[in-house]
Amino acid sequence: DVKVTQSSRYLVKRTGEKVFLECVQDMDHENMFWYRQDPGLGLRLIYFSYDVKMKEKGDIPEGYSVSREKKERFSLILESASTNQTSMYLCASSLGGLHNTEAFFGQGTRLTVV
Amino acid sequence: AQRVTQPEKLLSVFKGAPVELKCNYSYSGSPELFWYVQYSRQRLQLLLRHISRESIKGFTADLNKGETSFHLKKPFAQEEDSAMYYCALIDYSGGGADGLTFGKGTHLIIQP
């Protein structure tokens, strides 16, 4: 079974704090993704990475950055958290390449910024 | 740009009734279509993909390129089908590494 593990299920942070969300996958997948999930808006892609040290902006990268120093780990960073970043954050990974695009998701991190 | 539209935010049907969750898409490449499902308190998971042409948990979805639709259907709904359903698309022109584009989701409620 593919395992995508997010380090926290729930986080509460103050406005202006630097926040790190960690994600680890154990299946040697090439691709990793960060989405945020909001009611009525579905899932929106923040950043993705197709290789170590590589990153690409998704649809809503503003206010976020990412780090991928090792293949199995993909971190999402909120440099200065704001209340509009309160959301459910989902990490996912996929093997990569044609027809290997099924994404496996973590359990999610519900972040509240107060 | 690719886009996925799910017109219904909420769909409520009675147990045993047929279910159809609508999905329309637009794209500029060679897409693959998926349905993902999230049951209460569980992680998002793949339900089915159009290239597999298989039926999962009684659900099927046919890709209609003329109508650019990928509707999800089940002839007889069961209570355990209650969940959030997302239609998603990936464009192969980026080698599949560009990530899934999701619709906004449809909350399916099966009433007893």
Side-chain angles (χ1 to χ4, degrees), chain A residues 53 86 89 95 103:
Chain A
K53 296 192 186 294
T86 292
Y89 290 87
L95 184 59

Side-chain angles (χ1 to χ4, degrees), chain B residues 58 83 93 104 107:
Chain B
S93 63
K104 294 184 178 180
H107 188 188

Side-chain angles (χ1 to χ4, degrees), chain B residues 16-17 22 29 43 59 62 67 69 73 77-78 81-83 98 103:
Chain B
K22 291 185 167 51
R43 64 185 67 199
F59 284 97
D62 290 321
E67 296 182 359
S69 67
K73 299 178 184 178
Q78 299 172 291
D81 295 330
S82 294
D98 293 351

Side-chain angles (χ1 to χ4, degrees), chain A residues 26-108:
Chain A
D26 66 358
M27 284 303 291
D28 202 35
H29 281 177
E30 303 290 332
N31 302 330
M32 295 189 76
F33 311 90
W34 275 106
Y35 291 88
R36 62 178 284 176
Q37 182 182 29
D38 299 287
L41 296 177
L43 278 78
R44 293 177 291 167
L45 182 63
I46 304 171
Y47 267 96
F48 64 96
S49 168
Y50 53 88
D51 202 351
V52 175
K53 296 192 186 294
M54 305 302 289
K55 60 184 179 183
E56 295 286 341
K57 293 179 180 179
D59 299 319
I60 52 164
E62 296 79 19
Y64 303 94
S65 62
V66 290
S67 172
R68 193 161 181 206
E69 296 296 318
K70 294 185 178 182
K71 191 174 186 180
E72 67 270 18
R73 186 179 296 269
F74 192 36
S75 303
L76 180 69
I77 303 154
L78 287 66
E79 293 289 341
S80 178
S82 63
T83 54
N84 63 14
Q85 293 178 309
T86 292
S87 186
M88 173 69 84
Y89 290 87
L90 299 181
C91 175
S93 71
S94 68
L95 184 59
L98 284 177
H99 304 299
N100 286 314
T101 49
E102 177 183 353
F104 296 86
F105 284 83
Q107 77 278 24

Side-chain angles (χ1 to χ4, degrees), chain A residues 9-21:
Chain A
R9 289 296 301 273
Y10 301 94
L11 275 178
V12 179
K13 297 292 181 181
R14 295 192 181 279
T15 301
E17 276 193 78
K18 190 169 186 175
V19 181
F20 293 86
L21 303 183

Side-chain angles (χ1 to χ4, degrees), chain B residues 46-105:
Chain B
L46 179 68
L47 180 63
L48 54 80
R49 60 202 303 178
H50 89 268
I51 62 170
S52 301
R53 295 183 167 276
E54 56 189 347
S55 172
I56 305 293
K57 299 185 179 183
F59 284 97
T60 59
D62 290 321
L63 181 62
N64 185 324
K65 291 186 178 179
E67 296 182 359
T68 59
S69 67
F70 189 56
H71 303 328
L72 183 68
K73 299 178 184 178
K74 184 169 182 176
F76 306 104
Q78 299 172 291
E79 288 185 69
E80 54 264 35
D81 295 330
S82 294
M84 195 75 185
Y85 290 80
Y86 293 96
C87 183
L89 172 156
I90 194 161
D91 187 345
Y92 275 123
S93 63
D98 293 351
L100 289 156
T101 297
F102 284 87
K104 294 184 178 180

